[in-house]
Amino acid sequence: MFRTVLGDVEEIGVTYAHEHLFMTGDWPVRNEPDYRLDSLDAAVTEVAAAQRLGLSAVVEMTPLGFGRSPSLMKALAERTGLHVIAVTGFHKSTYYSDAHWLHRYSPDEITELLVAEIELGMDEYGLVGPLVRRSSARAGAIKIATAYHAFGRGVERLVAAVAAAAVRTGVPVVTHCDKGTMGHELLDALSACGVAADRVVLGHIDHNPDAGYLTSLAERGAYLAFDRPGRIKYGPDSDIVALVAELAGRGLGHRLLFGMDLARRSYWPGLGGGPGLTYLLERFVPRLEAAGLGETAKSALTANPHAAFALRPPRR
């Protein structure tokens, strides 16, 4: 089973493992208009174009405090039929003010807040308080983020809370690994709290295109979310094709996931930008197929996310 914003489902189909479809209102990282994704119509247009190429599901990675909108995710799913797996949890801790509760609440208290978002429904206000407006849309994964080559302020304490909530609810842990760093450190910390590596998705990990490093993470059982294709400013797609080939050649293709991470208006063709959600299926996958990696690409979009994002029996 997979927990989507419209309820639990048995199949999710072709899945993008790291997307941002809505970031509304005021949030602490950026004030530029480019980072405001608040149009349902624009999201429908963007999603529909990718659905015509086969897209069936996305993991919407916008966490607490970043303009996450359960109501808009539900409306998008209802209008398009897209399966949307939403997240609870956190971005980098430095993005939250000193007064934010994540810096002050105990791990046990934070765990209870996360569990409620998964089992009861997400708060429309992102748990900024004091009131909770509980949506019927429930989160299907928990996000945690590290800084560049460091956990960041209080993150080891947050790991304990996130891990406890994941163990109790059976959802996976999805991560922001800044510039592709801290993969092993996160796996070690989560493992010490009872979360196995095969319940962890390491995001942005292809921003560190070191085949040996990525192999060592995949061999531990973690899923590697490659979310850089098409964003050439971070490096050419040829880097990612080479990484996929290397990992597949080492028998680790079953640990790969793909996404686009299009968290700016300027990434959406309908809003005047690019590369758009279609790029992965229309441009990047054919390139993998031309390199003899078609079966690996298919697994990274279907079988692998089915394994990575499925609910597991919770432990109480």
Side-chain angles (χ1 to χ4, degrees):
M1 299 293 289
F2 306 87
R3 181 145 297 163
T4 79
V5 296
L6 296 184
D8 292 352
V9 299
E10 295 183 357
E11 298 289 338
I12 52 175
V14 173
T15 302
Y16 285 9
H18 191 127
E19 297 310 325
H20 295 277
L21 300 174
F22 299 106
M23 293 187 295
T24 66
D26 296 326
W27 51 287
V29 184
R30 312 280 187 183
N31 293 316
E32 304 98 299
D34 196 27
Y35 286 87
R36 184 178 292 273
L37 298 173
D38 55 6
S39 169
L40 176 59
D41 288 340
V44 168
T45 298
E46 190 69 20
V47 164
Q51 285 179 305
R52 288 192 285 271
L53 298 172
L55 179 65
S56 179
V58 302
V59 181
E60 216 289 357
M61 291 284 287
T62 306
L64 295 168
F66 277 72
R68 185 194 65 180
S69 178
S71 60
L72 283 173
M73 285 189 271
K74 281 185 62 180
L76 176 68
E78 289 166 347
R79 282 182 56 175
T80 64
L82 183 75
H83 296 303
V84 180
I85 298 173
V87 305
T88 186
F90 313 99
H91 210 306
K92 292 189 290 187
S93 62
T94 53
Y95 288 160
Y96 301 87
S97 73
D98 289 346
H100 196 283
W101 52 262
L102 74 83
H103 296 302
R104 298 179 289 114
Y105 288 7
S106 72
D108 288 346
E109 289 171 322
I110 294 172
T111 295
E112 294 303 321
L113 291 171
L114 299 177
V115 168
E117 288 238 311
I118 295 161
E119 295 187 341
L120 301 180
M122 294 180 284
D123 177 28
E124 285 288 350
Y125 303 126
L127 293 177
V128 297
L131 300 179
V132 171
R133 182 181 177 188
R134 189 78 64 190
S135 169
S136 63
R138 297 184 291 174
I142 310 175
K143 182 173 182 175
I144 192 165
T146 51
Y148 177 60
H149 279 303
F151 276 110
R153 176 187 174 190
V155 171
E156 290 178 89
R157 182 173 57 87
L158 290 180
V159 166
V162 166
V167 168
R168 277 180 52 182
T169 61
V171 303
V173 176
V174 295
T175 76
H176 168 102
C177 293
D178 212 53
K179 306 299 186 293
T181 64
M182 299 299 290
H184 283 297
E185 292 84 352
L186 261 175
L187 293 180
D188 289 343
L190 288 164
S191 175
C193 295
V195 177
D198 69 351
R199 297 304 290 158
V200 181
V201 175
L202 298 174
H204 310 315
I205 205 69
D206 55 335
H207 285 250
N208 185 354
D210 181 328
Y213 172 64
L214 298 182
T215 294
S216 67
L217 294 169
E219 286 178 338
R220 294 184 65 170
Y223 289 94
L224 310 183
F226 285 9
D227 47 48
R228 209 187 78 185
R231 290 185 295 146
I232 311 305
K233 63 184 179 180
Y234 297 119
D237 283 352
S238 57
D239 287 352
I240 313 304
V241 173
L243 286 174
V244 172
E246 183 72 22
L247 289 160
R250 297 185 186 190
L252 295 169
H254 63 298
R255 292 297 165 196
L256 300 180
L257 305 169
F258 294 150
M260 294 290 294
D261 188 22
L262 302 184
R264 299 178 185 230
R265 296 173 66 88
S266 57
Y267 289 150
W268 292 26
L271 296 174
L277 283 180
T278 60
Y279 184 94
L280 190 58
L281 295 172
E282 190 172 48
R283 302 277 297 276
F284 186 70
V285 168
R287 187 163 181 179
L288 293 175
E289 292 170 341
L293 297 166
E295 286 303 310
T296 300
K298 181 179 178 180
S299 293
L301 289 165
T302 54
N304 301 355
H306 277 65
F309 298 108
L311 299 175
R312 295 271 182 91
R315 302 205 306 266
R316 298 290 181 179

